[in-house]
Amino acid sequence: MDKILIKDLKLFAYHGVNEEEKRDGQNFVFDIALSVNMTKACYSDDVNDTVSYAKVIKTVRRVFTAEKYDLLEKAAQVTADAILEEYPDVFSVDITLKKPEAPMKADFGWVGVEISRER
């Protein structure tokens, strides 16, 4: 299966279990892989024959920032659900959701979750 990849999509939102996370917000980073049959688009060179990554990014931004979630797991699930609902040509979606500024007393690059969902 072919894949459309979105790497290092940075979004600012208000997710987390701590009060200051919901009040002050922080940066989050997405890596998204969409399984799509791109054969038609490969021959037609027409964006209408594929899934527009620009439109997917708008969907992700809209649903990820619409509400405040305690858990990254919930935020990732809501995002995956929206992609599968809005883009019927996507067979499956893999999402890595990173939280590089998590308020922990530790030296780390990022913490996060990874989920895979399919139709």
Side-chain angles (χ1 to χ4, degrees):
M1 184 60 53
D2 305 320
K3 295 217 183 244
I4 293 173
L5 304 173
I6 301 168
K7 297 289 184 184
D8 298 325
L9 173 62
K10 294 175 182 76
L11 296 175
F12 190 86
Y14 298 87
H15 308 303
V17 296
N18 298 311
E19 183 179 319
E20 67 271 12
E21 292 176 289
K22 284 191 171 54
R23 181 188 65 232
D24 302 334
Q26 62 192 292
N27 291 304
F28 296 85
V29 181
F30 278 92
D31 290 337
I32 302 169
L34 308 172
S35 294
V36 178
N37 183 342
M38 293 188 281
T39 304
K40 187 173 181 183
C42 289
Y43 290 100
S44 71
D45 196 27
D46 185 341
V47 71
N48 295 310
D49 292 333
T50 190
V51 175
S52 166
Y53 49 80
K55 289 181 181 178
V56 171
I57 288 171
K58 287 180 183 178
T59 297
V60 172
R61 181 180 293 118
R62 186 187 78 245
V63 300
F64 186 69
T65 60
E67 294 187 38
K68 297 178 182 181
Y69 301 108
D70 287 345
L71 300 179
L72 290 179
E73 291 86 341
K74 176 68 174 183
Q77 182 66 52
V78 167
T79 303
D81 288 344
I83 291 170
L84 291 173
E85 181 179 320
E86 293 182 27
Y87 303 93
D89 291 337
V90 173
F91 295 102
S92 67
V93 58
D94 298 318
I95 294 177
T96 300
L97 177 51
K98 305 171 191 177
K99 191 174 182 179
E101 301 166 3
M104 300 185 308
K105 294 183 182 193
D107 185 14
F108 62 95
W110 55 272
V111 297
V113 299
E114 186 173 76
I115 66 168
S116 297
R117 299 295 182 262
E118 59 186 48
R119 298 197 174 279

